[in-house]
Amino acid sequence: MILYFTDREMNVLGQASTGLPKGMRISNDIRTEDLETGTKTLEFDLGYNDRKKAEELTKPGNYILRDAGDEKEFYTVIDAEGSLAERNVHLYSEGSGLDLINEVVGAYSATAAMSIAQYVSAFASDSGFEIGINEVSNLKRTLTWEGEATVTERLQSVATQFDAEISYSFDVQNMTVVHKYINFWKKRGNDTGKILRIGKHIKNVIIKRSVAELATALKVRGGVPSGSSAPITLRGYHYDDGDIYVDGEYLKSRSALAEWARNSGTGHIIKMWSYDTTSQSELCNRSVSQLKKISKMETTYDAEVVELPNNVRIGDIVRIADEEDDQYIQARVTKLMTSASDGKPKITLGEYTTTN
């Protein structure tokens, strides 16, 4: 892997590598992709002989271009921590650009249904980013946000409310970033059909089970309509799918109550939940999705991968075979951590199902 360092005007200042015998050396690198936020981070140690040159390259705010064969990525240096005794600098960089990471936007309320492109224009119009892939271009929403958020956080919220997944990409030509894209997908990744076998591809799987966030009912609040001083609720709205139903200001689950009830089977475990919309139907839909998520025991699988098959990407569906217990886990790759220096990837899996 080769990294190129540039200043804010994209002038190349120098390079470093994991493999070249001379020059600045990259070690302990970790590249992380996160499905939920759509962002990438890159952190590593940069060993040097020339301290002044290293400080010039690693100045926070500088850019890093990552060249790994077919993959060309663009990062902004966020933090740099130097060790004089060890003669290295530890860097942390993020891939969505300083313009989106640090810029803060305030409360916003759409006066009419808007497309996802219109929301991007409202929050990131002067950032240099443009819409790339947009698989939800036919949808419109009337959305409201209270309070402040970074542009990255606000765009993630926009994607969530359009039932989309977000990612960022860059078109790099001749050491210059010519396009910066914000992409919106209905669902990232593919069903690869690939099987990862414990003992061969995977050294270990850590199974985490928790009821720390569990609830069987939500007391729901929405946004505050124009001209009102109080947020909307679900009171007066009808919804009942046989399991989840509206009861006044509450959304309740019959199946969750049967499994997790308090007080001899009659008491709900209730959490407060709010969502920034002034539409009761939108509030109900989002609340139903949230209750479905937290009304069951949360289970995640962290896999320590020895060998990851080629072309497994973030969002892909894979299968893990535990042949000793005759169990198969099907899941999406929700976090992917790779390292060019040690070649040992680590994945976090979500949206799982198990079969025997």
Side-chain angles (χ1 to χ4, degrees):
M1 178 180 72
I2 299 175
L3 298 180
Y4 298 92
F5 298 82
T6 80
D7 61 19
R8 301 285 294 173
E9 302 300 323
M10 298 303 296
N11 299 306
V12 177
L13 303 174
Q15 68 182 60
S17 171
T18 53
L20 295 177
K22 297 182 179 181
M24 297 194 182
R25 303 167 303 281
I26 298 168
S27 61
N28 301 319
D29 63 296
I30 300 174
R31 172 179 172 269
T32 302
E33 293 182 82
D34 190 286
L35 182 65
E36 181 179 0
T37 63
T39 59
K40 298 177 184 177
T41 63
L42 177 65
E43 55 184 311
F44 57 93
D45 290 329
L46 181 70
Y48 61 82
N49 295 318
D50 185 336
R51 174 186 164 193
K52 288 185 177 180
K53 184 63 176 177
E55 289 182 344
E56 178 190 13
L57 267 59
T58 60
K59 179 182 176 182
N62 281 356
Y63 298 131
I64 299 173
L65 300 177
R66 176 180 178 268
D67 188 347
D70 293 336
E71 295 180 318
K72 291 180 173 58
E73 297 173 342
F74 172 66
Y75 295 86
T76 301
V77 177
I78 304 299
D79 297 311
E81 181 178 324
S83 171
L84 298 183
E86 297 177 1
R87 300 187 69 76
N88 69 31
V89 182
H90 182 79
L91 282 93
Y92 170 78
S93 61
E94 297 193 5
S96 58
L98 195 64
D99 294 334
L100 303 185
I101 298 166
N102 282 11
E103 184 170 352
V104 174
V105 292
Y108 186 89
S109 181
T111 57
M114 293 168 52
S115 68
I116 209 163
Q118 289 173 304
Y119 284 110
V120 170
S121 179
F123 301 129
S125 60
D126 61 349
S127 66
F129 280 83
E130 56 190 294
I131 294 282
I133 294 168
N134 185 0
E135 295 184 345
V136 291
S137 59
N138 60 317
L139 301 180
K140 290 189 175 184
R141 298 279 190 271
T142 305
L143 304 177
T144 299
W145 291 270
E146 298 177 351
E148 296 181 340
T150 67
V151 174
T152 303
E153 292 167 338
R154 184 62 55 82
L155 291 176
Q156 180 188 346
S157 177
V158 170
T160 299
Q161 297 186 66
F162 274 80
D163 296 311
E165 295 176 346
I166 192 171
S167 71
Y168 300 87
S169 59
F170 305 90
D171 183 4
V172 181
Q173 298 178 11
N174 299 323
M175 301 303 298
T176 300
V177 177
V178 295
H179 291 286
K180 300 188 290 184
Y181 296 114
I182 304 169
N183 306 301
F184 296 95
W185 313 78
K186 290 182 179 178
K187 193 168 188 177
R188 295 177 66 188
N190 300 292
D191 187 344
T192 65
K194 296 183 183 295
I195 298 177
L196 310 181
R197 301 185 185 280
I198 296 177
K200 179 182 179 182
H201 303 100
I202 293 177
K203 181 179 180 181
N204 192 17
V205 177
I206 304 299
I207 304 173
K208 301 177 183 178
R209 298 185 293 172
S210 176
V211 293
E213 300 300 323
L214 186 136
T216 65
L218 297 174
K219 187 173 183 180
V220 177
R221 290 287 185 272
V224 180
S226 177
S228 175
S229 60
I232 68 168
T233 70
L234 292 179
R235 186 173 295 279
Y237 189 81
H238 176 75
Y239 179 89
D240 190 335
D241 63 12
D243 177 23
I244 296 176
Y245 64 99
V246 172
D247 182 8
E249 298 181 1
Y250 296 88
L251 193 69
K252 299 179 178 180
S253 168
R254 296 182 177 95
S255 62
L257 179 66
E259 184 173 4
W260 303 102
R262 303 163 56 239
N263 301 332
S264 302
T266 61
H268 276 278
I269 301 171
I270 300 171
K271 284 186 177 292
M272 300 292 295
W273 195 74
S274 61
Y275 188 80
D276 287 330
T277 179
T278 55
S279 164
Q280 272 194 316
S281 61
E282 184 78 7
L283 181 62
C284 183
N285 290 339
R286 298 298 173 178
S287 303
V288 169
S289 296
Q290 177 68 6
L291 186 55
K292 286 181 178 179
K293 178 181 178 181
I294 67 172
S295 61
K296 300 175 182 178
M297 179 174 62
E298 180 183 10
T299 304
T300 60
Y301 295 80
D302 287 345
E304 185 178 348
V305 180
V306 177
E307 176 188 347
L308 190 66
N310 292 332
N311 301 320
V312 173
R313 299 287 184 262
I314 193 76
D316 282 352
I317 295 174
V318 297
R319 291 159 183 81
I320 293 178
D322 182 0
E323 294 174 337
E324 184 173 335
D325 291 332
D326 193 26
Q327 186 177 73
Y328 291 81
I329 303 166
Q330 176 178 297
R332 287 184 81 196
V333 179
T334 58
K335 183 174 287 188
L336 176 60
M337 302 174 69
T338 55
S339 172
S341 58
D342 69 16
K344 296 178 181 179
K346 182 179 180 181
I347 59 177
T348 297
L349 303 173
E351 301 180 26
Y352 72 95
T353 56
T354 58
T355 59
N356 293 322

